[in-house]
Amino acid sequence: FTTVNFKDLGLRGHLADVIVASKDNHGFGLTTCTSVQSMMLPLFINGKGSNVLIKSQTGSGKTLAFVLPVLHELLGANPPVKRTDGCMALIISPTRELCSQIAEVVGRLTRCCVNIVPGAISGGEKKKSEKDRLRKGLNILVATPGRLLDHLKTTEAFSLQKLQFVILDEVDRLLDMGFEQSILEILSRISGRILPGLKDTSIFAEKASHGLNNLQSKYSQHNSVKAKQTTNSIKYIMASATLSDRVKTLALSILISPTHRS
């Protein structure tokens, strides 16, 4: 922990109150920031944050370091965020357990801003139930790569038109578990451009169609891909416990002029 006090950061709304409130009062019982939080939060609160690569060990407080900037930004939206705005912040984590942990933190924080609706999709639940929640709108979505990519391909009502943040948590683990191509395809579908290293670029291919059913299928696929693109300026945050060559290569594919805080 540092000597930087959450109350002195200028967080919007009642975010600081939730952080310092006791656990008995549904808070976090924290007063001062950890090192990674003290470096991350002022970047975004002061409007200087853009694309960030964080090297930070598990247990260092990095979840709050990337969730608080998201909520601070969304609380400043005019007009205020509403559920029907769809996904405005996307957090990708390697396992269902980690997704649940992050979603629990986001859920506790959003008690002070009930207009912002969080949620998680990570398998282990019927896809129909997930589709229904995505259709209604989840402003902050925590997801595993495989489940997220599945919905990007098949859930047409899954709106990303107002997406502002994409966060990759535990990047080294994502790569170790073989999710590199899934991550590259997810971000290619979101941005509408082929990211370096993506092997299957057929999602943007314009091929001849034969027969009405095939044509309808390709037209539907084209619209589905277009629907996932956003015209917003997206802020990318990557968090990793290590900075291996594979992590650095992925970072270079995703981040433009990244700010490195270790």
Side-chain angles (χ1 to χ4, degrees), residues 2 17 27 41 48 61 72 75 83 127-128 154 157 166 183 193 197 223 244:
T2 67
D17 294 334
L41 299 179
K48 297 179 181 178
H72 176 82
L75 282 170
R83 183 169 193 170
K127 277 185 61 179
K128 184 179 184 302
T154 63
V166 173
I183 294 298
R193 65 186 180 92
N223 279 353
S244 65

Side-chain angles (χ1 to χ4, degrees), residues 67-234:
V67 171
L68 284 173
V70 168
L71 287 170
H72 176 82
E73 187 82 12
L74 297 188
L75 282 170
N78 187 19
V81 173
K82 55 186 182 297
R83 183 169 193 170
T84 53
D85 288 331
C87 184
M88 303 180 79
L90 181 60
I91 303 171
I92 304 173
S93 194
T95 68
R96 181 183 178 188
E97 291 72 26
L98 284 171
C99 280
S100 296
Q101 292 173 23
I102 296 170
E104 194 270 337
V105 170
V106 176
R108 287 165 66 188
L109 286 170
T110 51
R111 288 175 182 269
C112 72
C113 41
V114 293
N115 60 305
I116 298 174
V117 181
I121 53 171
S122 56
E125 185 179 2
K126 290 183 179 180
K127 277 185 61 179
K128 184 179 184 302
S129 176
E130 292 181 343
K131 283 177 179 284
D132 288 343
R133 287 187 286 122
L134 290 171
R135 187 178 299 110
K136 291 177 182 177
L138 296 173
N139 305 125
I140 301 176
L141 178 64
V142 190
T144 50
R147 199 64 157 187
L148 174 60
L149 186 55
D150 189 359
H151 281 289
L152 285 173
K153 291 177 178 179
T154 63
T155 306
E156 293 186 12
F158 181 16
S159 173
L160 294 173
Q161 295 297 305
K162 296 186 178 182
L163 188 65
Q164 295 182 26
F165 285 89
V166 173
I167 298 163
L168 302 180
D169 187 30
E170 303 275 3
V171 176
D172 44 357
R173 289 188 63 185
L174 285 168
L175 295 177
D176 288 343
M177 294 174 66
F179 287 125
E180 180 179 7
Q181 288 300 308
S182 295
I183 294 298
L184 291 173
E185 182 172 349
I186 288 167
L187 299 183
S188 294
R189 286 177 176 270
I190 289 172
S191 66
R193 65 186 180 92
I194 301 296
L195 290 182
L198 181 63
K199 295 177 181 178
D200 182 6
T201 59
S202 62
I203 57 173
F204 299 109
E206 297 289 344
K207 297 180 180 178
S209 302
H210 300 284
L212 181 61
N213 290 337
N214 195 30
L215 179 60
Q216 288 175 330
S217 174
K218 289 186 179 296
Y219 178 77
S220 178
Q221 181 191 39
H222 177 70
N223 279 353
S224 178
V225 171
K226 292 288 288 183
K228 308 312 175 192
Q229 297 172 20
T230 174
T231 56
N232 289 344
S233 178
I234 300 175

